[in-house]
């Protein structure tokens, strides 16, 4: 009874018979998915499916057999994880036998074997059995592309899970695969085939006597010549095939004897792409080759590379040639030499020198640069190569420098020298006496100092760069050399306006060398700059500012440029601050430009201090109290107001001071920032001036209560500090501060102060953590804005507050930002504020420099512009269509500001096809303008019009063809 029940359970049901019949005889595709789903759910077993297919699998008609096997294979592809080991054995035997069947059956058989190759229950030995059967019974290259791809997938699956079994086949597996791949043409299949070959080599499968055959079956595709069809759904690019094939060709030194002659042949061809591919492949090969593989081919490789660098018109070929030479030299440098082996590196470098050095001495200097590039490419490959070439080339170049008298020729030679000197920086030497530069130090210094005193600005520039590189060599320059160098840099830093580039280069070099030699610059430069500053102040006191203005500015710039070492900062910063005190005391005739120049120098010093926490804190605790004290002193009421002190309260001067304070605060550690905030916030809220230098002021500092605008203007300095603090720094008296800022932001008596207060309030809102206190501040702000936007004198200030609060919330994705943005859109219809509201969208989308910056620790979401666009542009467009004619410009301007700040890849998909056609029609219509006006834009327009030729819309393509044709004909005879 139990046996009968089991047989009954194994027998196919009527429903299964029906599904099989519909698929095999009815040619319906749906039943296959239904059968597979039923097997997965346990309604049927694979054995029942085989039973139901019995007559179909034995049918004399090949197409019927093929349909039957196709159904079974599709079920196995979905259900191979359910198979037992004994079921897998029987199915493998069945499918192997069917490989001998009619060619119409083979595709379905391969699909079944692909499913079985994924089985975890596959017994040992069957993977080898399947592959042997495929190698013997199937002529793979006569199959359609999809079936060839299936064969490659079967091989890949077995290589991934049955590697040791396949390796037991030895070289027979390699030979079998060679037969499978031989003649493959489809790029989709080639990508898989190349990966298989790479795995064969990298996983150490036996290649046996078939190394050359494996090379031939892959190298026949080199160089790749494939252009994907337009709108290719498979997305295979030429570069994909190039890189896959290159990975194969460069994967083993055993290909070297076959590959290197091929590469030389292709480099010597006339096809640009073949040259590039060959040189790049040679570069990749050098990573795995050694001297043995390269030895017989070095002369030919060098000849080909030399010819390409000397003669090519392509910069890309030249660059790849130099890279290949670099890799060849590196390969020879790292090869392990036996005691009796020939040193190929020396002989190779000797050949390069022999072929290049005479060009360095030619009077016309025609091939000087190609020769120098070749020598430098080889020298940069290893310390040994660098020493060999440098020691041979430097004497030659030094001699040539003195032989040529023209500045242009000397500049060329010095630039070549500079290239070789830079290469020395790559290598370190345990024994300093071994450095090749030591023997040439005096000659090099003499040559550089000659260049620095030459009348030619271009030669001076190269001399400055060379001096910087020489100085970067540890312990190369003596104290006497450094004193001379500092003297030259000091002189060059005060050159006239027509030598601006040289002066800038000298300042940069001073900064680089001061970081390495602070003592030399403290001894020989800082005293000169201090004296220069003192003389400048003296002359400005006499009112002779016109004569001294240029040198005065140069001195300030030099002081900031050399502030690259903590010890130097402690000398330069007091000098700059002392200079500001001279302005405040009225000891010199000062204009706002003078103070701004000092602030710019202070900002540069602050930037240089940011990398060193100790210097950063020193600058902050020294400069910030000083700047605040100067500003507070200048803001104090006087019986007879001083013009000199009022300079410090001008908009541009305060903006410059804001920049200094912000830069000095952003890189503070939270611990140090917390110390500073306990002094600065009470200064503005309580008038506590105890931490300020020279704090004996004639009256109390009360910026939030001051009826006059003087003290209120300093709120900008408070903004610079608190809006640059790290987010986790707690601000004392925050509630009072926010309310005071909010009140001042809508004061109409001083727009500068009210704007600074609004920005400060917004900056603090942006960083404030979510919660009840933030909600309270936001409600206060909304109430203040709505009250101010009503009729009255504060409408403009209330609008400014709305704008900055909206920006603060937009940046952090706060929910209230959408309501405030909608309120801003409403104001586009306002007769008075409409144009300002339109410009406000520019502020919302752009980056600020003083508040709400990432550098100042503001919360700025990375995609805020895209989100703002998605959320608000539909409403702007709708508002434009509904607005009266006199208001439409406001909507259009606001929309243009949003689109202008949006990344192009985000914007383009939003443009409808009608828009694209209209744009192309406009480009077509432009060709009616005068030809001379259009000709400068012709190449750019033709390139831009190439992309819409592949547009998915036929009408767009049609307009693109028409417009591009007209631009092509522009300027041609008879057009």
């Amino acid at each position: 009874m139990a046996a009968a029940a089991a047989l009954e359970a194994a027998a196919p049901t009527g429903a299964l018979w029906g599904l099989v019949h519909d698929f095999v005889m009815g040619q319906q595709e749906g039943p296959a998915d239904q059968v597979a789903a039923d097997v997965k759910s346990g309604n049927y077993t694979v054995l029942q499916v085989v039973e139901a297919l019995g007559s179909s699998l034995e049918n004399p008609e090949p197409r019927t057999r093929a349909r039957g096997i196709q159904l079974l294979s599709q079920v196995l592809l979905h259900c191979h994880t359910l198979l037992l080991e004994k079921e897998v054995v029987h199915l493998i035997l069945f499918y192997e036998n069917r490989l001998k069947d009619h060619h119409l059956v083979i595709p379905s058989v391969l699909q079944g074997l692909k499913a079985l190759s994924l089985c975890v229950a596959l017994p040992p030995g069957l993977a080898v059995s399947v592959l042997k059967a495929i190698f013997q019974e199937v002529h793979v290259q006569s199959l359609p592309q999809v079936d060839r791809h299936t064969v490659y997938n079967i091989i890949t699956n077995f290589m991934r899970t049955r590697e040791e079994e396949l390796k037991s086949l030895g070289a027979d597996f390699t030979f079998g695969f060679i037969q499978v791949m031989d003649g493959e043409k489809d790029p989709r299949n080639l990508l898989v085939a190349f990966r298989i070959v790479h795995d064969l080599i990298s996983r150490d499968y036996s290649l046996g006597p078939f190394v050359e055959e494996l090379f031939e079956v892959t190298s026949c595709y080199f160089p790749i010549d494939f252009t994907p069809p337009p709108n290719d759904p498979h997305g295979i690019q030429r570069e994909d095939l190039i890189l896959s094939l290159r990975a194969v060709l460069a994967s083993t030194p055993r290909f070297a004897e076959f590959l290197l002659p091929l590469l030389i042949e292709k480099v010597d061809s006339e096809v640009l792409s073949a040259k590039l591919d060959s040189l790049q492949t040679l570069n990749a090969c050098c990573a795995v080759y050694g001297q043995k593989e390269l030895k017989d081919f070095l002369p030919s490789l060098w000849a080909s590379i030399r010819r390409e660098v000397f003669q090519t018109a392509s910069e890309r070929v030249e660059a790849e040639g130099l890279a290949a030479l670099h890799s060849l030299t590196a390969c020879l440098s790292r090869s392990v030499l036996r005691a009796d082996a020939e040193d190929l590196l020396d002989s190779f470098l000797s050949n390069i020198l022999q072929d290049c050095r005479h060009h360095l001495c030619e009077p016309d200097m025609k091939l000087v640069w190609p020769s120098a590039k070749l020598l430098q490419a080889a020298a940069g490959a290893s310390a040994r190569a660098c020493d060999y070439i440098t020691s041979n080339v430097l004497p030659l170049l030094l001699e040539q420098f003195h032989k040529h008298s023209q500045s242009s020729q000397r500049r060329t030679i010095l630039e070549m020298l500079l290239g070789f000197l830079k290469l020395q920086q790559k290598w370190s030497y345990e024994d300093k006496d071994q450095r090749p530069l030591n023997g040439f130090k005096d000659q090099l210094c003499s040559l550089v100092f000659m260049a620095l005193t030459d009348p030619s600005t271009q030669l001076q520039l190269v001399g400055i760069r060379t001096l910087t590189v020489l100085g970067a060599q540890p312990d190369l320059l003596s104290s006497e050399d450094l004193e001379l160098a500092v003297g030259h840099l000091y002189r060059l830093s005060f050159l006239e306006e027509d030598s601006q580039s040289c002066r800038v280069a000298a300042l940069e070099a001073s900064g680089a060398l001061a970081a390495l030699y602070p003592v030399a610059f403290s001894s020989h430069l800082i005293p000169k700059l201090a004296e220069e500053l003192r003389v400048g102040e003296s002359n400005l006191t006499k009112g002779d500012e016109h004569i001294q203005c240029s040198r005065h500015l140069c001195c300030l710039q030099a002081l900031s440029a050399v502030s690259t070492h903590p010890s130097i900062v402690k000398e330069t910063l007091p000098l700059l601050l002392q200079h500001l005190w001279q302005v405040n005391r009225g000891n010199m005739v000062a204009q706002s430009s003078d103070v701004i120049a000092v602030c710019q120098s202070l900002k540069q010093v602050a930037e240089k201090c940011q990398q060193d926490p100790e210097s950063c804190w020193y600058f902050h605790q020294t400069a910030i109290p000083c700047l605040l004290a100067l500003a507070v002193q200048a803001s104090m009421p006087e019986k007879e107001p001083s013009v000199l002190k009022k300079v410090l309260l001008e908009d541009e001067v305060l903006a410059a001071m804001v920049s200094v304070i912000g830069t000095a605060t952003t890189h503070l550690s939270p611990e140090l920032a917390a110390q500073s905030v306990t002094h600065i916030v009470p200064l503005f809220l309580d008038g506590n001036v105890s931490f300020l230098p020279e704090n004996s002021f004639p009256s109390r500092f009360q910026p939030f209560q001051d009826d006059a605008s003087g003290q209120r203007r300093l709120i900008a300095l408070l903004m610079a500090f608190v809006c640059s603090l790290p987010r986790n720094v707690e601000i004392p008296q925050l509630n009072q501060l926010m309310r005071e800022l909010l009140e001042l932001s809508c004061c109409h008596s001083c727009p500068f102060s009210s704007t600074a207060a609004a920005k400060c309030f917004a900056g603090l809102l942006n960083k404030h953590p979510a919660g009840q206190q933030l909600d309270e501040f936001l409600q206060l702000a909304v109430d203040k804005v709505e009250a101010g936007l009503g009729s009255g004198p504060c409408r403009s200030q209330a609008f400014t507050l709305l704008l900055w609060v909206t920006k603060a919330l937009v940046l952090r994705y706060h929910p209230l930002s959408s309501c405030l943005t909608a309120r801003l859109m409403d104001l586009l219809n306002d007769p008075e504020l409409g144009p300002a509201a339109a410009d406000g969208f520019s502020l919302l989308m752009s980056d600020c420099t003083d508040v709400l910056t990432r550098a100042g620790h503001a919360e700025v979401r990375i995609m805020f512009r895209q989100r703002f666009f998605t959320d608000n542009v539909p409403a702007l467009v709708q508002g434009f269509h509904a607005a009266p004619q006199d208001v439409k410009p406001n909507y259009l301007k606001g929309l243009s500001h949003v689109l202008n700040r949006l990344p192009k890849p985000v914007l383009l998909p939003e443009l409808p096809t009608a828009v694209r056609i209209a744009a192309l029609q406009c480009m077509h219509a432009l060709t009616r303008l005068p030809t001379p006006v259009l000709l400068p834009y012709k190449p750019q327009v033709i390139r831009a019009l190439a992309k819409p030729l592949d547009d998915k819309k036929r009408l767009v393509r049609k307009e693109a063809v028409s417009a591009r044709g007209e631009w092509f004909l522009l300027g041609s005879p008879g057009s």
Side-chain angles (χ1 to χ4, degrees), residues 358-384:
H358 65 279
H359 292 304
L360 303 180
C361 305
E362 291 175 351
D364 59 0
M365 305 181 79
K366 183 178 179 182
L367 291 175
V368 159
W369 270 119
S371 300
K373 288 177 181 178
L374 287 165
L375 289 166
Q376 289 169 7
S382 68
R384 189 174 159 209

Side-chain angles (χ1 to χ4, degrees), residues 229-231 945-953 956-957 960:
N231 301 318
L945 289 175
K947 190 168 184 179
L949 295 176
D950 293 329
D951 196 278
K952 58 185 177 181
K953 296 291 185 181
V956 174
R957 296 197 300 271

Side-chain angles (χ1 to χ4, degrees), residues 690-709:
S690 58
F691 78 102
L692 299 181
E694 301 192 20
N695 55 19
S696 178
F697 302 117
S699 59
R700 193 174 180 191
F701 180 59
Q702 295 177 309
F704 288 109
Q705 280 76 42
D706 180 31
D707 292 333
S709 63

Side-chain angles (χ1 to χ4, degrees), residues 727-779:
R727 277 187 234 170
N728 56 350
V729 174
E730 184 178 350
I731 298 176
Q733 301 171 265
L734 179 63
N735 188 57
Q736 180 187 350
L737 177 62
M738 294 294 275
R739 291 174 183 273
E740 295 282 13
L741 289 169
L742 196 58
E743 190 64 32
L744 180 57
S745 67
C746 287
C747 178
H748 68 277
S749 61
C750 179
F752 180 89
S753 304
S754 61
T755 300
K759 291 164 72 173
C760 189
F761 183 85
L764 292 171
L765 271 185
N766 173 267
K767 295 182 186 180
H768 199 288
Q772 181 180 352
Q773 190 177 40
L774 176 63
D775 295 340
E776 291 174 359
F777 289 152
L778 287 173
Q779 188 59 54

Side-chain angles (χ1 to χ4, degrees), residues 645-804:
K645 291 185 177 180
K646 297 310 174 188
V647 164
L648 293 171
L649 299 181
E650 293 183 8
D651 291 3
E652 296 81 3
V653 173
L654 285 173
M657 295 174 75
V658 162
S659 183
V660 177
I661 294 173
T663 306
T665 305
T666 54
H667 282 63
L668 284 182
S669 68
E671 296 76 20
L672 296 176
Q675 290 183 38
S676 191
V677 78
T678 59
H679 296 299
I680 294 178
V681 171
L683 166 68
F684 283 86
L685 288 179
D686 306 325
N688 186 349
V689 298
S690 58
F691 78 102
L692 299 181
E694 301 192 20
N695 55 19
S696 178
F697 302 117
S699 59
R700 193 174 180 191
F701 180 59
Q702 295 177 309
F704 288 109
Q705 280 76 42
D706 180 31
D707 292 333
S709 63
Q711 294 189 6
R712 288 185 174 182
R713 297 177 68 80
L714 303 194
I715 297 300
L717 306 185
L718 172 67
M719 172 201 76
F721 173 71
V722 295
C723 292
S724 301
L725 292 170
R727 277 187 234 170
N728 56 350
V729 174
E730 184 178 350
I731 298 176
Q733 301 171 265
L734 179 63
N735 188 57
Q736 180 187 350
L737 177 62
M738 294 294 275
R739 291 174 183 273
E740 295 282 13
L741 289 169
L742 196 58
E743 190 64 32
L744 180 57
S745 67
C746 287
C747 178
H748 68 277
S749 61
C750 179
F752 180 89
S753 304
S754 61
T755 300
K759 291 164 72 173
C760 189
F761 183 85
L764 292 171
L765 271 185
N766 173 267
K767 295 182 186 180
H768 199 288
Q772 181 180 352
Q773 190 177 40
L774 176 63
D775 295 340
E776 291 174 359
F777 289 152
L778 287 173
Q779 188 59 54
L780 287 172
V782 171
D783 293 344
K784 193 72 172 176
V785 165
E786 291 302 334
L789 287 176
S791 59
C794 299
R795 294 197 75 215
S796 177
Q797 285 71 33
F799 165 75
T800 301
L801 176 62
L802 169 64
L803 199 57
W804 282 102

Side-chain angles (χ1 to χ4, degrees), residues 360 365 368-369 372 376 397 412-420:
L360 303 180
M365 305 181 79
V368 159
W369 270 119
Q376 289 169 7
L397 293 177
T412 300
I413 295 167
L414 188 55
E415 283 182 332
M416 285 189 289
L417 264 171
L418 177 60
F420 288 104

Side-chain angles (χ1 to χ4, degrees), residues 151-359:
V151 173
Y152 295 128
N153 281 336
I154 294 170
I155 296 172
T156 300
N157 292 339
F158 283 145
M159 288 180 73
R160 186 175 64 249
T161 60
R162 309 284 164 165
E163 182 174 313
E164 294 306 317
E165 291 180 39
L166 301 191
K167 285 182 177 178
S168 69
L169 277 172
D172 289 345
F173 176 56
T174 301
F175 180 68
F177 177 73
I178 290 172
Q179 290 180 306
V180 167
M181 181 183 173
D182 193 12
E184 182 59 67
K185 292 183 175 61
D186 190 275
R188 292 164 288 181
N189 291 348
L190 284 174
L191 281 177
V192 185
F194 290 156
R195 191 156 52 242
I196 292 173
V197 178
H198 184 267
D199 289 345
L200 278 173
I201 296 167
S202 62
R203 295 181 183 175
D204 203 26
Y205 283 78
S206 173
L207 306 186
F210 304 116
V211 174
E212 185 172 4
E213 286 79 3
L214 187 61
F215 172 77
E216 291 295 337
V217 82
T218 51
S219 65
C220 63
Y221 302 101
F222 184 86
I224 293 291
D225 183 18
F226 167 70
T227 303
N231 301 318
D232 178 21
H234 307 292
I236 295 176
Q237 299 298 317
R238 179 171 176 267
E239 191 67 16
D240 300 329
L241 291 166
I242 288 174
L243 294 177
S244 295
L245 177 56
R246 185 176 300 154
V248 170
L249 297 177
S251 61
T252 174
R254 300 172 71 181
F255 282 169
E257 60 179 306
F258 316 114
L259 177 60
L260 290 175
L262 175 63
L263 295 181
I264 293 168
E265 174 193 335
K266 298 302 181 183
V267 170
D268 294 344
S269 72
E270 297 300 318
V271 183
L272 178 64
S273 60
K275 290 177 183 288
L276 290 169
D277 201 352
S278 300
L279 291 167
Q280 290 166 349
T281 303
L282 174 61
N283 198 341
C285 289
C286 288
V288 295
Y289 287 5
Q291 290 205 20
K292 182 180 73 171
E293 289 77 27
L294 294 174
K295 179 178 179 181
D296 295 336
F297 302 98
L298 284 174
S300 299
L301 288 168
W302 162 237
S304 297
I305 291 172
R306 180 188 63 212
R307 182 173 55 255
E308 292 307 318
V309 174
F310 277 165
Q311 299 178 7
T312 187
S314 167
E315 291 184 4
R316 290 182 64 199
V317 171
E318 180 190 85
E320 294 299 342
L322 295 172
L325 179 60
H326 177 95
S327 297
L328 279 171
T329 310
C331 178
L332 296 175
S333 300
R334 67 173 174 265
S335 297
V336 179
L337 298 175
R338 298 192 311 274
D340 59 342
E342 179 186 359
D343 187 351
L344 291 182
L345 178 63
D346 273 3
S347 59
F348 184 62
L349 295 177
S350 177
N351 287 337
I352 296 174
L353 274 167
Q354 182 179 346
D355 290 345
C356 292
R357 64 179 296 156
H358 65 279
H359 292 304

